[in-house]
Amino acid sequence: MQLAGVRTAAAGDAATISRLLADVIRSSYAGILDEIPMRRLISAQCALPRIRAEIEIPGGAPGWLGWLVATDTEGAVVGVAAGGVPVPGEGEVYALAVADGSRRHGVGTALLAAASDRMRSYGAHNQRVELPAEPDPALPFYTHMGFGPLSPRRISRSLL
């Protein structure tokens, strides 16, 4: 799998984002989250009307920087990320997911870099993530990317 690039999500990407995010949550948290918390997480994070609305917010909303998609050389979406700067100086990664077959090919790193660049351009000097579970399967990735613990499920790193 070769990464073609990262771009801002378009309206036509909403269903793909919803499906990819739900698939990644199911595969990543199977055996970690019970069925009801898993359903709640998918319902909250992957609702197609919500993702459509978030993509179509003209000019963004206060603190919201939008969805990004990573594509392979054939144009298929292989990863997604969303984030914002909800508090001055503090960036927040709301979602970062990479399709199972595209992991360990730099997709997550490219998405996080693009999201971080956006956050810096809006004045963020720190970046945080809230993980859905403890222990979380994404923790090794974030630790490798320089994040450290704020609490058992919240991690942070400097963007300076």
Side-chain angles (χ1 to χ4, degrees), residues 33-110:
L33 293 177
D34 292 331
E35 185 176 337
I36 291 173
M38 177 92 70
R39 285 185 186 176
R40 285 184 184 143
L41 182 61
I42 290 170
S43 175
Q45 298 298 316
C46 309
L48 185 55
R50 173 188 169 176
I51 292 170
R52 277 191 183 123
E54 289 172 345
I55 289 172
E56 295 174 4
I57 294 171
W64 170 247
L65 299 180
W67 283 95
L68 298 169
V69 295
T71 58
D72 65 15
T73 54
E74 295 174 11
V77 174
V78 295
V80 299
V85 182
V87 176
E90 298 292 329
E92 185 85 23
V93 177
Y94 300 129
L96 193 148
V98 177
D100 285 340
S102 299
R103 292 183 182 164
R104 300 200 178 278
H105 293 281
V107 176
T109 300

